[in-house]
Amino acid sequence: MRGEPVEDSGKLGALLDRYRGQPGALIPLLQDIQREMGYLPRPALEEAARALGLPAVKVYGVATFYAQFHLKPRGRHVCRVCLGTACHVRGGERILSRVSADLGIAPGDTTPDRAFTLERVACLGACGLSPAMMVDDQTFGRLTPDKASRLLRRFAREAPDGGGGGGRTAE
Amino acid sequence: MRLTLANFKDFQNRLAQKAQAKDGLRLIVGLGTCGVAAGGREVLAALEAELGRRGLRADIARVGCIGLCEAEVLVDVERDGERWSYGNMTPDRVPRLVEEEVVGGRRVEDWLVGLVGTPERPYPGLQFYAKQRRVVLKNCGFIDPENIEDYIAHGGYSALVKALSAMSREEIIAEVKRSGLRGRGGAGFPTGLKWEFTAGAPGDKKYVVCNGDEGDPGAFMDRSVMEGDPHSVIEGMIIAAFAIGADEGYLYVRAEYPLAVARLRLAISQAEDLGILGDGVLGTGFNFHLKIKEGAGAFVCGEETALLASIQGERGMPRPRPPFPAIQGLWGKPTNINNVETYANVPTIILGGGDAFAAVGTERSKGTKVFALTGKIARTGLPEVPMGLTLRELIFEVGGGIKEGRGFKAVQIGGPSGGCLPESLLDTPIEYDSLTQAGAMMGSGGLVVLDDRTCMVDLARFFLNFVQSESCGKCVPCREGTRRMLEMLVRFTRGEGRPGDLERLEELAQVVKESSLCGLGQTAPNPVLTTLRYFREEYEAHVLHRRCPAGVCRALCAFYIDPSRCKGCGKCLDACASGAISGVRKEPHVIDPARCIRCGACEAACAFGAVLTGSPDEAPAGEASPNPAASAAAAPGDRSPRRGGESRG
């Protein structure tokens, strides 16, 4: 489901109801919508503005301020290559160029088949294991370009949202 | 079950006894983000499978980060109270570990990291821990962060019980003031004073907020605490809330830390179930509700007024202070906002007393500080050291010096707000004021060590690029000033510097520092100013002589092939689009500097790391590269050198 431009008004409606009338809940609401739909489609932003009683321009302003929000559809897997200080001095740029070459897209873009979205991030906090990257919710460290390529191939084979062992924590 | 002040002690004693009585075998796997990133989950799965295959039963505990990133994945084997630690574990190593250590009861010497001691001194045998003093991190790596009972069994929530049962609000604040604790987020404002301001601010509704928006690249202290010991932060926040008279709190955690969010969420629900959070904390009349707010990816939200705006659902843009959040914070109400590590220090202060806390450290910086030690250092990790230790001790004794025996060049401390300090300042003690005086700052505790292959101009560009893209755009000096500074630095790294640029850069940096609205802009020029101050000759080399002495800036250095590493496979030659590489198969290839456009394609293609870059005058271009024409003439016809960019014969 993720990454598809679903017009699932039922689920969206339930989310809107949860936060209706709470203008301070804009960010959590946008986070929930994005978790559900993979990105923030324009109609959903307009619905969110109505539900919280906010001007649409304010919702748009917040949605474009934070790096985490996306107004365009995303890939089923999101690959974030870290270019923090530690990764920078230990060769993070080489990981990024390899991943970028493997996927055939520039950072910020999504592959035409919507399998992957590639991003560069400032720091994942895994500096002790730099260079590092994150695919979906899993962090991988001590990378080499070849190791990064292998990881991409593994995720390409895997079904989205499953089997990766990611997020096996508290929930 | 719901705990009260009256039944807490019994409950705790029972848990402690149960923990003590644990005999037999226990396996402990480090599953902080570092451990997971190094493959901890795979190792855990392999361990479970191997034990299952052999029909063995053992208790497997999952703990947070013990601070020894270099040796992740760590698997410890505890038998009858004695705990041995094995490092760099992989699924392949699991069968032998189970066979020899679990079944046979013998140490597997090859992978042994050491005997694990007490939480205060985890590995008595390791130099890395010799100068450490663990206060904030004492539970990390020792308790199961997903089990509140483990925290309580290790003395957790005793400070809260003491505060609620035996201390007045004023006494708590006085104790924190006496401890000399200063904010661990970077600026170092005295915590007790902040609490006093918020407590004294007029208003019935007050908030406490925890700043877990650890955005500095190169910093992961707060992540480790939130993942490894979430309850210590929560306990500190409850005590703060009680002291200042707040009934509601927010933990603001950055979006890039999903594991920390999950563990904190679980910790909050467990504390609610036991009556430690919610209405009537521990059976008293004090109510405290704690919520998590996930950041949405904006570095500027680490600034307190921006963070508050973000909690309120707005764009995370700072506003001028005063009024300070202590007077007008969240939704205009008095708000106490501290960093993760600051709150995590509070239980120790309340339990042991402010004086005992203040016995560690220097005159004006008390207690300990956790550092994220990374970069070109032999032992990366998360040490916690007493304030006053020198940078030299931290880098060379704790961190083991520079990786691969290279030369030390600088240490970057305090992230994008901090600065780069050279060898001559390594004896600076780690304390707020001396670091600020040197042009850097304590910052949140990121410490990136740089060796002689780091270009300081490139590093300054890296930080400027970061703050420039994270500038919220509200005030002109930061929005425009950092952009112009970045443009200059980019020109330097491309060899397009102009006379007078360095003076212009320095002047602009000073203006941005003095006139920006918030901490982001005010400190953004620090990496540039310190590198200009301590490494000016490197800037001059770039601007005046078009040279990058460290051999990092592509446009200013030469590519060459190390003949001792080159296998003559020809991959670089195929990758070169400008026909600059020539060579005979199975013999070392060479790069013609006159044709090389420095695109780096050969470097990426080489599987042996034989393509190197260096300062043009150091690259062995002259003697090492034979004249292609001459070697062509000398070579037999079928082995004539090929040149990249030509079609294969």
Side-chain angles (χ1 to χ4, degrees):
Chain A
M1 292 287 278
R2 236 174 48 168
E4 300 298 313
V6 228
E7 293 303 328
D8 185 347
S9 54
K11 274 186 175 158
L12 180 60
L15 286 178
L16 294 170
D17 283 341
R18 193 188 309 163
Y19 297 106
R20 197 172 296 279
Q22 305 173 38
L26 176 57
I27 292 173
L29 172 60
L30 294 181
Q31 283 169 333
D32 282 357
I33 294 176
Q34 187 162 286
R35 216 162 277 155
E36 194 61 49
M37 311 182 85
Y39 73 111
L40 299 174
R42 184 177 170 148
L45 287 179
E46 287 166 356
E47 292 278 345
R50 265 193 292 279
L52 303 186
L54 291 169
V57 66
K58 164 132 194 192
V59 175
Y60 182 78
V62 168
T64 51
F65 182 83
Y66 294 99
Q68 198 195 32
F69 294 129
H70 307 283
L71 305 188
K72 283 192 287 191
R74 313 250 294 154
R76 289 183 294 279
H77 296 293
V78 179
C79 176
R80 299 184 175 94
V81 179
C82 182
L83 290 172
T85 323
C87 291
H88 177 76
V89 300
R90 285 220 225 173
E93 202 71 56
R94 282 181 206 182
I95 306 297
L96 182 67
S97 38
R98 171 67 71 86
V99 171
S100 181
D102 281 3
L103 298 178
I105 50 173
D109 289 347
T110 299
T111 53
D113 63 357
R114 284 225 208 118
F116 286 95
T117 294
L118 174 61
E119 289 176 352
R120 45 190 299 167
V121 293
C123 188
L124 296 173
C127 319
L129 297 169
S130 58
M133 74 175 187
M134 203 166 165
V135 183
D136 303 333
D137 267 1
Q138 297 182 68
T139 312
F140 301 92
R142 289 187 192 134
L143 291 177
T144 60
D146 287 345
K147 223 167 132 184
S149 291
R150 278 201 300 277
L151 277 170
L152 288 181
R153 284 198 296 274
R154 202 183 97 195
F155 277 94
R157 282 195 305 270
E158 256 173 34
D161 284 333
R168 189 182 60 193
T169 49
E171 268 102 355
Chain B
M1 125 152 233
R2 287 187 74 80
L3 295 175
T4 63
L5 292 179
N7 70 13
F8 180 83
K9 198 71 210 162
D10 277 349
F11 182 73
Q12 186 171 45
N13 287 341
R14 268 206 312 279
L15 291 177
Q17 274 163 15
K18 212 165 77 184
Q20 290 277 310
K22 213 170 257 171
D23 46 3
L25 188 69
R26 202 160 76 110
L27 298 170
I28 301 157
V29 185
L31 284 179
T33 288
C34 302
V36 172
R41 290 210 169 102
E42 289 76 12
V43 171
L44 178 68
L47 210 50
E48 281 168 343
E50 183 68 22
L51 291 173
R53 199 175 64 77
R54 290 164 177 268
L56 293 170
R57 281 182 55 87
D59 200 9
I60 300 183
R62 292 146 211 217
V63 297
C65 171
I66 202 163
L68 204 64
C69 304
E70 201 59 34
E72 293 285 0
V73 177
L74 286 160
V75 174
D76 298 358
V77 180
E78 187 180 75
R79 186 181 286 109
D80 303 326
E82 206 177 78
R83 175 173 165 189
W84 291 88
S85 196
Y86 293 92
N88 293 307
M89 294 304 291
T90 58
D92 296 345
R93 289 182 167 191
V94 164
R96 188 176 149 203
L97 183 77
V98 172
E99 169 72 35
E100 295 187 19
E101 165 65 274
V102 178
V103 178
R106 296 188 304 276
R107 304 279 94 83
V108 187
E109 298 290 337
D110 300 355
W111 311 326
L112 201 58
V113 175
L115 179 69
V116 181
T118 59
E120 289 75 27
R121 190 76 198 277
Y123 293 94
L126 291 193
Q127 183 68 25
F128 184 67
Y129 289 92
K131 293 218 160 172
Q132 289 199 43
R133 190 165 181 129
R134 287 162 59 98
V135 175
V136 170
L137 297 180
K138 65 177 187 295
N139 284 332
C140 289
F142 287 86
I143 64 164
D144 177 353
E146 301 190 2
N147 182 355
I148 190 172
E149 294 192 352
D150 216 14
Y151 179 69
I152 294 175
H154 282 76
Y157 288 113
S158 300
L160 176 64
V161 169
K162 180 178 174 187
L164 292 180
S165 57
M167 295 172 88
S168 70
R169 296 182 160 169
E170 294 72 27
E171 281 168 342
I172 295 172
I173 293 174
E175 207 62 56
V176 175
K177 280 172 83 175
R178 196 171 306 133
S179 75
L181 177 66
R182 293 171 66 175
R184 298 294 194 242
F189 191 82
T191 306
L193 211 53
K194 209 181 224 183
W195 289 20
E196 196 171 62
F197 288 152
T198 322
D204 294 336
K205 180 76 185 174
K206 291 177 187 176
Y207 294 95
V208 290
V209 172
C210 176
N211 184 346
D213 191 50
E214 182 175 58
D216 283 10
F220 54 95
M221 303 75 49
D222 295 347
R223 172 179 67 66
S224 299
V225 175
M226 292 186 284
E227 286 175 3
D229 193 13
H231 286 285
S232 68
V233 183
I234 295 173
E235 186 175 3
M237 288 186 79
I238 307 176
I239 293 169
F242 177 69
I244 67 159
D247 65 351
E248 214 178 322
Y250 287 94
L251 256 157
Y252 189 93
V253 188
R254 74 189 281 243
E256 288 83 353
Y257 289 173
L259 185 60
V261 170
R263 291 207 171 137
L264 285 166
R265 196 159 274 152
L266 183 74
I268 289 175
S269 80
Q270 290 178 346
E272 284 169 347
D273 289 345
L274 288 179
I276 292 171
L277 278 173
D279 285 333
V281 171
L282 289 168
T284 64
F286 160 57
N287 304 331
F288 184 60
H289 295 267
L290 185 56
K291 296 192 190 91
I292 291 179
K293 282 273 177 175
E294 280 179 69
F299 173 69
V300 69
C301 288
E303 199 279 341
E304 57 182 19
T305 59
L307 187 150
L308 296 177
S310 179
I311 293 180
Q312 292 174 204
E314 291 155 22
R315 289 164 74 97
M317 289 167 119
R319 60 160 176 80
R321 300 173 302 179
F324 286 91
I327 310 298
Q328 257 182 53
L330 208 50
W331 289 294
K333 308 292 182 197
T335 302
N336 179 73
I337 172 160
N338 287 132
N339 159 272
V340 169
E341 195 181 329
T342 313
Y343 282 122
N345 268 303
V346 169
T348 307
I349 292 169
I350 297 301
L351 267 189
D355 289 332
F357 185 87
V360 178
T362 65
E363 184 61 35
R364 303 201 51 215
S365 300
K366 302 297 188 190
T368 59
K369 179 77 192 87
V370 184
F371 285 96
L373 203 53
T374 62
K376 303 288 183 69
I377 190 152
R379 291 191 284 263
T380 60
L382 198 74
E384 178 175 358
V385 297
M387 296 271 193
L389 199 78
T390 65
L391 287 169
R392 191 183 300 280
E393 288 171 296
L394 181 56
I395 294 165
F396 288 91
E397 294 182 34
V398 176
I402 308 303
K403 221 176 150 84
E404 296 155 13
R406 304 287 306 200
F408 171 89
K409 182 161 191 178
V411 55
Q412 208 287 334
I413 178 165
S417 310
C420 292
L421 303 183
E423 167 92 42
S424 60
L425 289 175
L426 276 184
D427 292 311
T428 308
I430 295 167
E431 47 178 11
Y432 293 96
D433 313 281
S434 5
L435 287 173
T436 306
Q437 212 178 351
M441 69 186 282
M442 179 80 80
S444 52
L447 210 143
V448 185
V449 177
L450 309 167
D451 69 7
D452 51 11
R453 285 171 298 183
T454 314
C455 169
M456 303 313 279
V457 178
D458 174 68
L459 192 75
R461 181 200 58 80
F462 167 80
F463 280 116
L464 244 288
N465 186 45
F466 175 78
V467 289
Q468 203 285 316
S469 61
E470 293 293 340
S471 170
C472 79
K474 183 167 179 170
C475 74
V476 178
C478 176
R479 185 184 66 226
E480 302 298 327
T482 57
R483 177 170 289 269
R484 298 297 161 244
M485 286 169 70
L486 176 62
E487 285 168 359
M488 274 194 242
L489 289 165
V490 169
R491 278 200 284 111
F492 297 174
T493 58
R494 288 185 183 152
E496 296 161 7
R498 295 188 287 257
D501 267 352
L502 291 183
E503 291 70 24
R504 267 192 295 277
L505 178 64
E506 216 158 9
E507 190 189 343
L508 183 55
Q510 214 58 45
V511 171
V512 173
K513 191 180 168 101
E514 283 161 21
S515 55
S516 290
L517 170 63
C518 81
L520 191 154
Q522 288 160 11
T523 58
N526 284 352
V528 174
L529 286 169
T530 49
T531 45
L532 269 171
R533 183 161 150 197
Y534 301 120
F535 300 93
R536 196 173 186 97
E537 67 292 345
E538 216 166 316
Y539 279 88
E540 286 168 350
H542 282 74
V543 175
L544 305 177
H545 309 295
R546 312 236 181 283
R547 278 182 56 236
C548 174
V552 170
C553 299
R554 285 279 160 86
L556 304 182
C557 62
F559 279 73
Y560 62 97
I561 293 173
D562 179 353
S564 65
R565 293 194 199 180
C566 178
K567 307 275 187 242
C569 70
K571 274 194 180 154
C572 58
L573 191 148
D574 293 335
C576 182
S578 53
I581 299 181
S582 58
V584 175
R585 205 161 257 289
K586 295 193 176 164
E587 280 176 30
H589 286 37
V590 289
I591 300 175
D592 176 3
R595 286 196 181 201
C596 175
I597 56 163
R598 304 177 184 94
C599 65
C602 51
E603 191 185 10
C606 181
F608 308 102
V611 178
L612 304 175
T613 57
S615 142
D617 30 48
E618 283 162 16
E623 309 86 68
S625 52
N627 180 340
S631 57
D638 60 336
R639 295 186 63 199
S640 66
R642 293 194 296 129
R643 186 180 283 286
E646 290 171 359
S647 63
R648 243 175 189 172

